[in-house]
Amino acid sequence: MGTPVKRIVISGYYGFNNSGDEAVLQSILLALQEQGERQGVTFHPVVLSVSPAETARTYGVESAHRMRPMELWRAIRGADGLISGGGSLLQDETSPKTIPYYIGIIRLAQLLGKPVFIYSQGIGPVHRPKFFGWIRSAFRRCRLITVRDEESKALLQRMGLSGSEVEVVPDPVMGMPLKSAARHREPGGEERVLAPVIGVSVRFWNKDRSELDAAAEALRRVMDETDASVRFLPFHLPADEEASEYVAERLGETYKHRISFARGVTHPQDMLAEAASVSVLLGMRLHSLIYAAGRYVPMVGISYDPKIDQFLNRLSMQAACSTQAPDAAAIADALLQLLRGRQAWRDEKRQVIERLKSDAHRPAERIAAFYAKGRKQR
């Protein structure tokens, strides 16, 4: 008997030119392929995307439009299961429509009798109590529930799910490898003779731009005191490119020759290579910090959301400051400390990072085992 082929629909925030969410998708696809090969199952992914043609072309997968009901229904009806995740899908901070959409996809799959797997999601914040029951009801019928931090598990328990139903795993992007052909500077190699590079991933958040002003002031101080250059890494196009330009303008003409941009980088593994090539990373985007950690690059976080603090906590770290209280001096001090102590940071964090990278594949391993078990029982 040949290897079974399982069509599996993947639901998430895909096709929006957000490098972090695209990295989640790439990581899930690679993990499914690897774990399927290990356990004798071939997965045929069908990705729900707002730009299905672009998603299909980028990742070599089948894709359906996430907002067209008949396409959704046909994709899920013809599938062997649904993966919901990862990322921060179930939260109502950005919109009250987000949770109903993703729970609706899960409920449709369940109504059609398809097994549903929650893949390393970050749950919350959930401000509207009515959503507690929606999430609890849908999750109780899922075959696997994995979340990316203890805070998400605690929130699900407050919603009424038992702790035994929920498994905490790392963000899937921790397990994403570089492209095999990628060329990047290995930590401790060329950087000993080249001037250090500070990777910067910023986004708009405060209306008065105080968080970006603080980042610019901190970078000015670091560039005053060292020969470091700055490379901006925009994760969500075009908004993050505009935020990067805002910071660059505030650095002024004096440092113009020491500033560069990674423009138009859309494939997550290309952005991972960018993050791998810097000496230290200053990040507001969660996945910029995860990219850096996955390549053993020291990072400084500016927190605009609890998910930033939750990830840094896993590395026994704290954000330099929050967007509620931007602190240029704290950012500069943290950058300077890591620039001077990069190798010590790597030595200290290597073991925990390696464990996180290994554990990031656990949901895919569990999903492959589910289908492999069904094959052996026939």
Side-chain angles (χ1 to χ4, degrees), residues 106-134:
I106 292 170
R107 297 294 286 171
L108 175 59
Q110 291 169 340
L111 287 169
L112 290 170
K114 311 299 181 181
V116 176
F117 310 94
I118 306 300
Y119 200 118
S120 189
Q121 284 201 24
I123 311 296
V126 181
H127 301 293
R128 296 162 177 83
K130 69 177 181 180
F131 290 147
F132 279 37
W134 294 22

Side-chain angles (χ1 to χ4, degrees), residues 18 201 203 235-236 240 283-289 304 308:
N18 186 321
S201 167
R203 61 168 298 165
F235 268 61
H236 193 175
D240 287 9
M284 288 180 67
R285 289 285 184 189
L286 171 64
H287 284 100
S288 72
L289 301 174
Y304 72 94
I308 302 292

Side-chain angles (χ1 to χ4, degrees), residues 342-358:
R342 296 191 291 269
Q343 192 57 51
W345 184 94
R346 292 183 194 111
D347 293 343
E348 179 189 343
K349 305 300 182 186
R350 182 170 295 276
Q351 189 172 355
V352 65
I353 290 171
E354 288 176 353
R355 186 174 69 249
L356 290 173
K357 290 172 74 169
S358 174

Side-chain angles (χ1 to χ4, degrees), residues 356-377:
L356 290 173
K357 290 172 74 169
S358 174
D359 290 350
H361 292 132
R362 205 182 310 150
E365 183 180 357
R366 298 275 299 277
I367 293 167
F370 172 85
Y371 289 108
K373 182 179 179 182
R375 174 174 63 91
K376 291 169 185 173
Q377 288 176 342

